[in-house]
Amino acid sequence: MEPAHGTADPFERAPCGYVVTDGEGVIVRANAEFLRMVEVTAAEIVSVRTLASFVSVAGRILLETHLFPMLEHSRVIREIDLDLVTAGGRRVPVLFNAGLASPGGDRSVLAVFVEARDRHRYEEDLRHAKRTADHAREEAAALAETLQQTLIPPAPPHIPGLDIAAAYRPAGAGREVGGDFYDVFQVSASAWIVALGDVSGKGVSAATVTSLVRYTVRSFAIDHPDPADLLGRVDAVLSANDTRHYCTLVVARLERHGDGWELALSLAGQPAALLRSSGGEVSELGVFGTPVGLVEHPRFTTVRHRLRAGSSVTLFTDGVTEGRGADGMYGDERLHDLVRDLPADVQAVTDGIARAVLEFQNGDASDDIAIVTFAPQP
Amino acid sequence: MNLAPRLNVAMHGPAEARPIVFVHGFGCGQLMWRHVAPAFAEDHRVVLLDLPGAGDSDLSLYRPERYTGLEAYRDDLVALLEELDLTDAVFVGHSVSAMIGVLVANAAPGRVGALVLVAPSARYLDDEGYLGGFSERDIEELLGLMERNHLGWQDPLAGLVAGAAPAEVKLELEDSFCRTRPDIAAQFAAVTFRGDNRADLVDVRVPTLIVQSSDDAVAPMSAGAFIRDQIPDSIFTVIETHGHCPHLSAPVETVAALREFLDRR
């Protein structure tokens, strides 16, 4: 007898593919929607085919190694994204839920399939976009690292009669470009420039300013032997450049006289240099100046000092003294005490400062750190 | 380094009895043995573990640059056998861990006294004169499918950041059967299905049982028969069941096959 309207076999008329398997996974019942999806008749599959045989080869691996064990353990699996394969070999993307039919030992399964062509296309687009974004992010990180490498000279050059050491530690994971830089180069047969600075901000626009400052310092250094003059030129160039970034900078000019070195030094928003005497006393060197590219009437002052044997000078960016740890900022006092107690060797002083500041911040520097130390050779 | 806790090792049965080590395959963890392992706890020292990156192993142990081949898993398991000081152990490996078992037995002959290979395949890809059952395209598709199905995986840290109550986190963990971090699962799949251990079989010197499922799409009869022909004096037992996990679909028959093999000696 035909069932009454509205109560006609809900299994058969369900608007989703509906399949029942026995404990071995062989199909014992399949409704009209499922037969339509996979383009077969009931007679062709009931008691003949397993459910797994309607899934792609790859899908079968996932079924056998993950989904069936999960089903067996949790009694239900939900929202599985698979491809059914029709009798003609066509793929039908589906979402599929399955549950064990009875609470007892029988492992027969109820499975429901919903065709998901549009959703699948949409998700494929999302996955593609995510992969592209991941790739772009990796590229950008690699580019940032490369750019940063080009802004920092790998090691200071060899200067006859002068020991020099430098250290650079990027903030955090070091994935962001910009920030601190240093440079050491020759300007005459007997003179060298040591420049160290910090461009405000981060990212690509800061990096281009870093580059601009560095090459401006290089190009004006030969004709402007006075560091304060040189800073004035750099300030003019940076002010004329349409950038929101400014730069703190310290320029030291070292000129060899006989067996000693004359130091001329000017500050632009940078902390004063640290002078460590042969006896170990630490004092500050330099007169405060305005950062370059920031104010309308910049002010730079050159101080001169004759470097004695056994003494050394350290330039550093504010990432050193403003490094934050559990006890607040690292600060000038800690730095002075540290430099006084470190071995009198440019490498030991430079590395010692970098290590102490990193340790103070538990290894996670909040800002870039750049340090250069030089000392006349005995 | 203490490996046992990091591989979530669980031990049952008398400490002085012969050790039997159950190692799960690709997918899920030691819970896969829950219908089989207890049957041996009376007269064996049963050792269960989760492979690096799987189940409830310590995920910080998993470094992708290390686990690029089965050798890394072999080295970990040899180290574990040494740490637990197990000798003459029965190594029961399912699926890819059957081949890990072969490598462990060959590398540490004193530690492994017998091998049980459940649904093994020495190579999944078809090759000239060899039927593994899969093409490279199938494997590509599998990796794509795994990307589409994270099987409920969510970064547990994400839940903590969102402020999930401890009870919810616990619930999450209890229901974590077969969940694997997607990047680890994808790498393990690639290592498993692109591996080729056919040349390692002839070096096996310990008594070996091969448990073959009669209808297994992942490790077909041809794959099991190949291993039987390569390992001298191996015993080949076919269990009438569908699927790749006879220890789940036919646990009674699987236990019986193991018992018969172990009693032989």
Side-chain angles (χ1 to χ4, degrees), chain A residues 24 56 64 72 81 91, chain B residues 34 141 148-149 242 244:
Chain A
E24 291 284 323
S56 66
E64 299 280 357
E72 207 260 353
D81 180 357
R91 298 294 185 97
Chain B
R34 68 192 187 283
E141 195 193 323
R148 279 157 62 182
N149 290 285
H242 293 282
H244 185 51

Side-chain angles (χ1 to χ4, degrees), chain A residues 2-340:
Chain A
E2 192 70 15
H5 176 73
T7 60
D9 186 355
F11 177 89
E12 193 55 41
R13 294 168 58 111
C16 60
Y18 201 161
V19 174
V20 182
T21 75
D22 68 12
E24 291 284 323
V26 177
I27 294 174
V28 294
R29 214 177 153 193
N31 76 346
E33 175 70 358
F34 183 79
L35 297 174
R36 184 195 67 77
M37 275 189 211
V38 295
E39 299 169 345
V40 292
T41 63
E44 288 173 288
I45 65 166
V46 168
S47 304
V48 180
R49 300 269 301 261
T50 58
L51 186 56
S53 72
F54 282 102
V55 173
S56 66
V57 171
R60 223 171 294 167
I61 298 180
L62 195 65
L63 275 178
E64 299 280 357
T65 58
H66 288 73
L67 304 180
F68 285 156
M70 285 172 80
L71 181 58
E72 207 260 353
H73 179 262
S74 310
R75 311 198 64 79
V76 65
I77 51 174
R78 294 190 180 91
E79 281 187 68
I80 308 299
D81 180 357
L82 276 182
D83 285 354
L84 291 180
V85 182
T86 71
R90 218 163 41 80
R91 298 294 185 97
V92 183
V94 292
L95 275 183
F96 126 77
N97 281 9
L100 291 187
S102 68
D106 183 16
R107 303 192 326 132
S108 82
V109 171
L110 309 178
V112 169
F113 298 87
V114 177
E115 207 168 324
R117 279 183 201 284
D118 286 347
R119 177 137 302 269
H120 186 253
R121 251 195 303 274
Y122 168 64
E123 286 176 358
E124 194 50 56
D125 287 348
L126 279 181
R127 271 192 298 275
H128 180 73
K130 182 178 177 295
R131 274 194 293 267
T132 311
D134 286 348
H135 184 66
R137 197 167 45 237
E138 278 163 31
E139 290 256 288
L143 196 62
E145 236 161 85
T146 310
L147 193 54
Q148 191 76 65
Q149 292 304 319
T150 64
L151 297 175
I152 302 292
H158 173 72
I159 303 174
L162 193 77
D163 287 329
I164 186 158
Y168 171 73
R169 301 277 181 280
R175 282 290 172 90
E176 194 128 38
V177 285
D180 296 5
F181 65 95
Y182 60 80
D183 201 3
V184 182
F185 57 94
Q186 191 165 16
V187 284
S188 79
S190 59
W192 297 74
I193 296 283
V194 179
L196 176 141
D198 180 3
V199 170
S200 68
K202 288 273 177 198
V204 173
S205 63
T208 57
V209 171
T210 305
S211 196
L212 171 68
V213 168
R214 219 179 118 186
Y215 289 105
T216 305
V217 169
R218 279 200 172 225
S219 52
F220 284 117
I222 291 173
D223 288 342
H224 296 80
D226 180 73
D229 277 357
L230 175 55
L231 286 175
R233 298 306 307 158
V234 178
D235 179 81
V237 169
L238 200 54
S239 299
N241 191 280
D242 187 20
T243 172
R244 59 192 166 80
H245 298 280
Y246 62 92
C247 179
T248 61
L249 197 57
V250 50
V251 171
R253 182 185 163 96
L254 287 148
E255 179 127 26
R256 186 152 200 179
H257 288 286
D259 56 356
W261 290 86
E262 285 291 341
L263 169 68
L265 178 141
S266 187
L267 303 173
Q270 274 287 330
L274 288 189
L275 175 67
R276 184 185 193 269
S277 73
S278 56
E281 302 94 59
V282 176
S283 56
E284 293 186 345
L285 193 62
V287 171
F288 177 79
T290 54
V292 290
L294 184 67
V295 297
E296 209 168 315
H297 302 290
R299 193 166 51 86
F300 309 115
T301 312
T302 295
V303 297
R304 296 177 191 281
H305 179 83
R306 186 171 174 82
L307 285 179
R308 293 176 207 290
S311 67
S312 67
V313 173
T314 299
L315 315 180
F316 59 93
T317 53
D318 58 11
V320 169
T321 41
E322 293 176 8
R324 285 195 171 276
D327 302 336
M329 287 210 293
Y330 190 71
D332 292 329
E333 198 176 321
R334 267 195 200 90
L335 182 62
H336 289 204
D337 292 349
L338 174 76
V339 171
R340 191 184 54 229

